[in-house]
Amino acid sequence: MEIPNFNLKELIECGVHFGHKTQKWNPKMEQYIHSVRENVHIIDLTQTMGMLSTALDTIQKTVAKGGKILFVATKKQAAQQVADLAKDTNQYYVNHRWLGGMMTNYSTIQKSITKMKEIEVLKTNPNNEFTKKEILKLTNKHTKLVRSLSGISEMQKAPDLIFVIDTKLEHIAIAEAINLNIPIIGIIDTNCDPDLIDYPIPGNDDSRKSINLYCRLVREAINNSGGDISFDDNTKKVDEVVTETAEQPAIKEKA
């Protein structure tokens, strides 16, 4: 069975090692920081590799047992990638805005989902007698509901696992998952609190290249669920690779 493979060089090329500027850090992330370069924290990718491997293994085991994953990423860089990932793997996603109570008060959310589906039927019914103004109003309401709820419209119960790209931005989703004892896999940048995450993955949560890499590996893990996850550590040490890339400019998308 094919297993998702990744190596240190690939993580470096995707900018996974770039954290935030030093003044924006969370001191709890100190153990995952390798060094500082040009006032930017450099993440220790030797730790990232092992923790990413553990997270991917958890994803595979969850899906292999019939469990469902909820992907959460509302930031612009990750929204479309996460939606595509969830659709391709028959999982759930939230990529527009996390509405309070999406998991802890799901009965109320279900009413909104029902409303969304009712409007869809009304809009497509050729025999409706709505005026153009009423159709426009319905369309606008439907669009807002779709943005927020389409990714969880078929979710009948709480997910077995949630995967979060930016754990600081998605703090409400994190709090709800903790409240419901749902395991959390999260990309933790240097401004995040790792203590809140069950399966933390130290890494850049802003770069599109990094996000694409995470999504590709997760997609492969789900598609090949049942196998073990491994990574290729037949590469240079972090010190060597970081030194080699010392002349590279920091990722422009980092804040």
Side-chain angles (χ1 to χ4, degrees):
M1 181 178 292
E2 187 178 354
I3 298 172
N5 290 307
F6 58 96
N7 55 50
L8 187 60
K9 184 173 183 292
E10 186 175 15
L11 297 185
I12 288 282
E13 289 173 347
C14 291
V16 175
H17 59 304
F18 285 117
H20 284 273
K21 291 183 178 179
T22 54
Q23 61 264 36
K24 292 188 176 183
W25 81 316
N26 186 320
K28 292 182 180 181
M29 286 295 296
E30 183 174 11
Q31 61 183 311
Y32 302 116
I33 293 174
H34 173 269
S35 57
V36 175
R37 197 176 81 207
E38 297 179 2
N39 201 35
V40 172
H41 277 128
I42 302 300
I43 295 167
D44 181 0
L45 294 185
T46 56
Q47 295 192 65
T48 300
M49 291 180 73
M51 297 168 85
L52 177 55
S53 178
T54 298
L56 292 171
D57 185 55
T58 300
I59 289 170
Q60 274 198 330
K61 289 177 179 176
T62 298
V63 175
K65 292 186 294 186
K68 301 292 283 187
I69 302 172
L70 173 61
F71 295 102
V72 182
T74 61
K75 67 199 312 177
K76 182 174 65 174
Q77 302 97 305
Q80 189 59 53
Q81 289 91 324
V82 161
D84 291 342
L85 169 61
K87 292 173 184 176
D88 291 346
T89 56
N90 194 32
Q91 304 299 323
Y92 308 125
Y93 70 93
V94 174
N95 73 334
H96 177 62
R97 183 168 69 93
W98 184 273
L99 304 177
M102 272 188 159
M103 289 190 292
T104 54
N105 190 19
Y106 192 64
S107 59
T108 298
I109 297 298
Q110 280 185 312
K111 292 178 182 178
S112 295
I113 291 173
T114 299
K115 185 65 176 178
M116 178 184 72
K117 293 179 178 180
E118 288 175 350
I119 294 175
E120 180 65 31
V121 172
L122 287 174
K123 282 176 54 188
T124 56
N125 184 353
N127 297 320
N128 71 64
E129 298 179 354
F130 295 117
T131 64
K132 289 183 178 180
K133 185 176 181 180
E134 289 171 331
I135 288 290
L136 179 60
K137 187 175 180 181
L138 280 173
T139 299
N140 289 338
K141 184 172 184 178
H142 182 256
T143 299
K144 290 179 181 179
L145 288 171
V146 167
R147 283 179 181 172
S148 298
L149 303 173
S150 62
I152 59 169
S153 62
E154 303 303 320
M155 191 169 75
Q156 300 300 316
K157 64 181 184 66
D160 300 281
L161 183 69
I162 74 167
F163 184 103
V164 182
I165 294 291
D166 185 332
T167 61
K168 183 175 182 180
L169 177 64
E170 315 298 351
H171 61 94
I172 300 176
I174 297 295
E176 290 192 26
I178 291 173
N179 187 39
L180 295 175
N181 293 316
I182 299 171
I184 306 165
I185 292 177
I187 306 299
I188 51 168
D189 211 324
T190 54
N191 64 337
C192 297
D193 183 352
D195 294 347
L196 301 176
I197 311 303
D198 300 284
Y199 302 97
I201 304 171
N204 187 332
D205 64 11
D206 292 302
S207 163
R208 283 181 171 83
K209 285 187 176 181
S210 297
I211 293 167
N212 286 339
L213 175 63
Y214 307 141
C215 289
R216 177 179 69 78
L217 292 173
V218 170
R219 180 182 282 103
E220 291 180 13
I222 293 174
N223 289 339
N224 297 287
S225 58
D228 295 322
I229 300 295
S230 67
F231 57 85
D232 175 16
D233 61 356
N234 186 26
T235 55
K236 299 176 182 179
K237 299 299 183 183
V238 169
D239 293 319
E240 296 178 58
V241 181
V242 169
T243 299
E244 287 181 2
T245 58
E247 300 305 317
Q248 295 181 4
I251 297 295
K252 296 294 184 181
E253 293 169 307
K254 293 301 292 185

